[in-house]
Amino acid sequence: MHMATRNWVALFVVLSCLLGVLDASAGDADPLYRACVKQCEETGCVGQKCFPHCKFSSDGASINGPWYMQEPLYLQWKKWDCLSDCRYNCMVDREIKRDALGHGPVKYHGKWPFIRVYGIQEPASVAFSVLNLAMHFHGWLSFFILLYYKLPLKQTKKAYYEFSPLWHIYGFLSMNSWFWSAVFHSRDVDLTEKFDYSSAVALLGFSLILAILRSFNVRDEAARVMVAAPLLAFVTTHILYLNFYKLDYGWNMKVCVVMAVAQLLIWATWAGITRHPSRWKLWVVVFGGALAMLLEIYDFPPYYGFLDAHAIWHATTIPLTYIWWSFIRDDAEFQTANMLKKAK
C-alpha cells in the first residue's frame, strides 16, 4: 500500500486506498443474477446446492440454529452468512452460463468473480500480501541485525545512524499494513475494510514524514517534531473521519494521491541530486513502482478465477520491497561511515 516503495509505498498504498469503491457493477445489475439471489434467500438453494443457514422459520429464526453453528470451523470466522453465500454461488452459476455463451467475466458488487479457497475470497492477493509481509519482516530484521550486531555502536549502545528509530516504526507500519491487506482480501467486510484503509493511510502518512526527514537530512529533534506534528495530526484526523464519521472513498482517494505524489517528488528529486552510492536502487524502486502501477490501470479479470491485475501488482511489490530494504541498509552503512570519519 510510494519512494516509491510501499515508499514507493506511497504509490502502492494509493491503490489500496482506491480499492473499496463497491459501486453497482454489470454483474449485480444482471436481472438473472438478482433473481437468483432473491430465490436463494427464500429457498436456501442455488441449483442443487443448498445452505442450512438460509433456512428460516416464519419468525425469521434459523431452523437449524445460528448459522455460525452450522458451518465448518474454517468458514465460521469468515462470517459467510446467507446473503454472502447466495451472492457467491449465484455469481459462480451466472459466470458458468455466461462462459458457455462465449461472454467474458463481469464484476459483481465492484469485484471480479474470484473462486473461494477454504473460505478465502481472493486467495492469490492474500498469498502475495503474506509474502510482502514476510519480505518486510526479513528486511526489518536484517536492518536491525546490521545496526546492532555488525556496525559500530556508540558508548551508550545506540546506533550511529540517526534515522534508525524512524525505520523501525516504518517497518512495523509496513508489516501491519500488509497484514490487514491479507485479512481484507481474505474476507471483505466493513471491519476488515476499515482496518485495511486505516493501516494503509497510516503507512502512507508516516512514509511522507520519513521522506521529508531523510531527504532533507533533518537531525534536530525540534525540527523533526515541527515537520511531523501537523502531518500526524492530519493523518490521525483523517483515519478517525473514515472510521467514525464516513468512509468517503472519493475524499480518501484525494488524500492518498496528494500524499503519494508529494513523497514521490521528494524521493525522486533527492535521488537525482544526491551522491549516495546506492541511489541506483532508489531509481529501480521508483521506476519499478511506476511500471507496477500499470497493472492497476490495466485492470483485467482473474485467470481461472484466481489471478487478476491487482494480485499480480501485489506480486511485483515483493522484489521491490527487497531492493528498498537493501537501500535502507546501505544508507545506514553510508551514514555510519560518514559519522565515524567526522568523529576522528
Side-chain angles (χ1 to χ4, degrees):
M1 235 185 95
H2 309 75
M3 163 163 188
T5 74
R6 258 187 149 195
N7 238 19
W8 30 288
V9 169
L11 269 183
F12 294 162
V13 169
V14 174
L15 301 176
S16 296
C17 294
L18 300 176
L19 287 177
V21 187
L22 303 181
D23 297 328
S25 305
D28 48 277
D30 183 351
L32 294 177
Y33 168 78
R34 288 174 176 255
C36 175
V37 173
K38 183 178 180 181
Q39 183 181 29
C40 174
E41 289 187 287
E42 294 173 353
T43 64
C45 298
V46 176
Q48 301 298 316
K49 189 172 184 178
C50 298
F51 319 107
H53 50 279
C54 279
K55 296 180 180 179
F56 298 92
S57 62
S58 57
D59 62 358
S62 177
I63 294 175
N64 298 318
W67 68 269
Y68 54 81
M69 297 299 292
Q70 303 157 23
E71 291 285 0
L73 285 175
Y74 66 82
L75 288 180
Q76 289 182 22
W77 74 277
K78 308 297 288 184
K79 291 184 65 178
W80 289 112
D81 55 11
C82 179
L83 178 59
S84 297
D85 265 336
C86 285
R87 284 180 171 180
Y88 172 74
N89 286 279
C90 284
M91 175 194 74
V92 172
D93 183 67
R94 283 298 301 141
E95 284 302 305
I96 291 174
K97 292 177 180 176
R98 286 176 55 83
D99 184 63
L101 295 173
H103 301 308
V106 293
K107 289 187 177 182
Y108 296 79
H109 306 283
K111 289 183 174 290
W112 288 114
F114 291 94
I115 296 175
R116 287 180 355 198
V117 177
Y118 294 107
I120 295 175
Q121 198 166 344
E122 299 176 42
S125 289
V126 171
F128 292 136
S129 292
V130 171
L131 288 174
N132 272 285
L133 190 158
M135 189 61 69
H136 273 286
F137 176 74
H138 172 271
W140 169 80
L141 184 61
S142 61
F143 173 68
F144 180 88
I145 293 172
L146 174 70
L147 278 181
Y148 298 103
Y149 294 96
K150 295 183 178 181
L151 293 178
L153 296 173
K154 297 179 181 179
Q155 291 183 348
T156 57
K157 300 301 180 182
K158 291 184 178 180
Y160 280 97
Y161 186 50
E162 296 179 333
F163 295 93
S164 58
L166 298 175
W167 288 118
H168 289 318
I169 297 172
Y170 168 81
F172 170 78
L173 291 176
S174 296
M175 289 183 278
N176 178 67
S177 183
W178 282 113
F179 171 79
W180 286 111
S181 172
V183 173
F184 174 67
H185 288 299
S186 177
R187 181 67 173 102
D188 176 7
V189 295
D190 288 343
L191 182 63
T192 59
E193 181 180 48
K194 287 181 178 180
F195 273 115
D196 180 54
Y197 273 54
S198 298
S199 61
V201 171
L203 174 60
L204 180 56
F206 187 79
S207 296
L208 176 57
I209 293 171
L210 190 49
I212 296 171
L213 298 182
R214 179 61 192 95
S215 60
F216 288 95
N217 201 28
V218 180
R219 299 182 180 182
D220 182 71
E221 289 298 326
R224 287 185 176 187
V225 171
M226 291 177 65
V227 171
L231 288 172
L232 287 175
F234 174 77
V235 170
T236 302
T237 303
H238 179 64
I239 291 173
L240 291 173
Y241 174 85
L242 294 177
N243 282 275
F244 300 106
Y245 183 71
K246 182 182 180 182
L247 189 56
D248 189 328
Y249 299 110
W251 168 243
N252 190 51
M253 177 187 68
K254 293 174 184 177
V255 170
C256 289
V257 167
V258 169
M259 290 196 295
V261 170
Q263 67 181 279
L264 267 182
L265 289 174
I266 292 170
W267 282 117
T269 301
W270 186 64
I273 63 177
T274 184
R275 294 185 177 181
H276 198 290
S278 296
R279 60 186 177 275
W280 67 269
K281 294 181 181 180
L282 217 55
W283 286 116
V284 169
V285 173
V286 169
F287 286 111
L291 291 175
M293 286 281 289
L294 297 176
L295 290 169
E296 288 297 291
I297 298 172
Y298 178 59
D299 188 23
F300 54 81
Y303 290 109
Y304 302 104
F306 292 106
L307 202 63
D308 69 330
H310 184 70
I312 296 175
W313 167 73
H314 275 320
T316 63
T317 63
I318 297 170
L320 291 176
T321 297
Y322 179 84
I323 298 172
W324 177 233
W325 277 103
S326 175
F327 168 78
I328 295 170
R329 292 192 300 272
D330 291 348
D331 189 49
E333 292 185 89
F334 179 64
Q335 288 285 87
T336 299
N338 285 341
M339 294 189 71
L340 288 172
K341 287 179 182 178
K342 292 178 181 179
K344 291 181 179 179

